[in-house]
Amino acid sequence: MISTKKPKVAFFDFAGCEGCQLTVIDALQSHPELLDAIEIVQFREAMSEHGDDYMVAFVEGSFTRPSDQQRLDQIRSQAALVIALGACAHIGGINALRNSKPLQEIRQYVYKDQADHYEAGKALPISAAIPVDGFIPGCPIDRHEFIRAVKSLIQGNLPDIPDYPLCVECKLQENECLFNIGKPCLGPIIRAGCGALCTTYGVGCEGCRGLIPHPNIESLKEVLAECGLSYSMIDAKLALFTTNELHEFEVVHHGKR
Ligand code: SF4
Ligand code: SF4
Ligand code: SF4
């Protein structure tokens, strides 16, 4: 797919905290050999040079403003490959929490009398604006997965992201299931790849890597309820990262809009 030996790469940011870009900088510092294999032409977080000739575009942040469309179109028309970087770009991320309430209500809560001054719409994945070739999930991304993804791209392959549940990795870590000690966890429906980071430290998965294909959401809700969570708490927990994916799931499986 990528023919040149030293592909030109650019990084872009939209609505996000820039934590994924910081993780990229951190990852490249520990793998400087990659800087010999790619040429970074644009990366506002890390350098002042600015080139518009690139083959791979990593895009961080969610698509929240109609005015972002033009910039995303421009990136899409230039890049042979567009990779969504992190949960905000991949699934709308934590920003999408606001999608479950009327936008004007949210704007007034945040901006008070300046509510109409800011152009803030629904928080969507960048795939809602342009076609995307691949993604690196997580909030923030996993640095090891980013390095593997760059190596794959250099070899002409898209990033190989797991589509099995976190529980698989958690079991491989030989963790005791948190449900056994009464702690809730979203692991059964969430995409693996972080090495079961949170559960290994005794914290239930919050779902930052997004849903696996064909998640059994109703079954997990029953287990969470048995664990003592009210249905409103369960919905709030699921909404933290998967608001947009759950909406899509409802549309596809139950025809709800
Ligand atoms: S995915 Fe998380 S770390 Fe990355 S930009 Fe969004 S909020 Fe920040
Ligand atoms: S702690 Fe969570 S991720 Fe680990 S096995 Fe239990 S449900 Fe799955
Ligand atoms: S355990 Fe869950 S919340 Fe924690 S990093 Fe992995 S996917 Fe994200």
Side-chain angles (χ1 to χ4, degrees):
M1 201 174 299
I2 297 171
S3 55
T4 172
K5 283 184 180 165
K6 198 164 180 178
K8 292 183 178 178
V9 174
F11 292 85
F12 300 92
D13 43 29
F14 288 81
C17 77
E18 307 196 355
C20 289
Q21 290 183 89
L22 286 176
T23 306
V24 168
I25 294 169
D26 193 29
L28 290 174
Q29 279 179 337
S30 56
H31 288 266
E33 74 281 4
L34 281 184
L35 294 171
D36 293 329
I38 59 173
E39 181 182 352
I40 299 177
V41 300
Q42 190 175 154
F43 194 171
R44 185 188 56 78
E45 186 93 357
M47 58 194 247
S48 48
E49 295 86 349
H50 178 117
D52 289 318
D53 175 20
Y54 46 86
M55 182 176 289
V56 181
F58 286 101
V59 179
E60 178 205 69
S62 45
F63 168 50
T64 59
R65 303 177 299 183
S67 61
D68 290 335
Q69 181 74 55
Q70 190 181 7
R71 186 166 161 241
L72 282 162
D73 285 341
Q74 203 280 325
I75 292 168
R76 181 68 272 185
S77 67
Q78 170 60 39
L81 292 173
V82 174
I83 308 294
L85 189 70
C88 292
H90 168 214
I91 53 178
I94 209 161
N95 305 332
L97 267 177
R98 71 182 189 224
N99 296 357
S100 52
K101 284 196 180 285
L103 274 175
Q104 188 60 11
E105 201 179 296
I106 299 279
R107 270 196 291 260
Q108 268 165 356
Y109 181 79
V110 176
Y111 300 121
K112 311 295 180 201
D113 58 345
Q114 297 295 305
D116 293 325
H117 179 73
Y118 293 98
E119 183 199 5
K122 282 194 168 187
L124 300 171
I126 59 164
S127 59
I130 55 170
V132 170
D133 302 293
F135 62 89
I136 302 176
C139 178
I141 57 167
D142 179 276
R143 73 194 66 190
H144 306 295
E145 194 164 53
F146 173 76
I147 294 296
R148 283 197 302 276
V150 172
K151 288 181 177 173
S152 292
L153 290 165
I154 291 170
Q155 291 165 2
N157 300 313
L158 289 171
D160 185 19
I161 305 297
D163 62 1
Y164 48 83
L166 185 77
C167 291
V168 174
E169 280 183 334
C170 194
K171 288 295 164 202
L172 287 170
Q173 299 276 10
E174 302 186 1
N175 296 333
E176 181 183 8
C177 181
L178 292 172
F179 280 110
N180 289 349
I181 53 170
K183 287 188 180 178
C185 178
L186 301 186
I189 60 166
I190 296 301
R191 188 183 293 278
C194 62
L197 186 62
C198 302
T199 57
T200 299
Y201 286 96
V203 178
C205 173
E206 298 287 357
C208 81
R209 292 176 60 87
L211 297 176
I212 51 167
H214 315 298
N216 192 339
I217 293 166
E218 291 311 314
S219 181
L220 179 64
K221 281 183 177 180
E222 283 174 25
V223 177
L224 289 168
E226 283 169 18
C227 193
L229 266 65
S230 66
Y231 278 95
S232 61
M233 276 297 293
I234 293 169
D235 286 343
K237 202 165 194 42
L238 286 168
L240 188 61
F241 280 103
T242 60
T243 294
N244 287 324
E245 289 186 303
L246 286 173
H247 179 70
E248 282 301 308
F249 188 83
E250 289 292 323
V251 170
V252 171
H253 294 274
H254 304 294
K256 293 181 189 167
R257 279 266 162 212

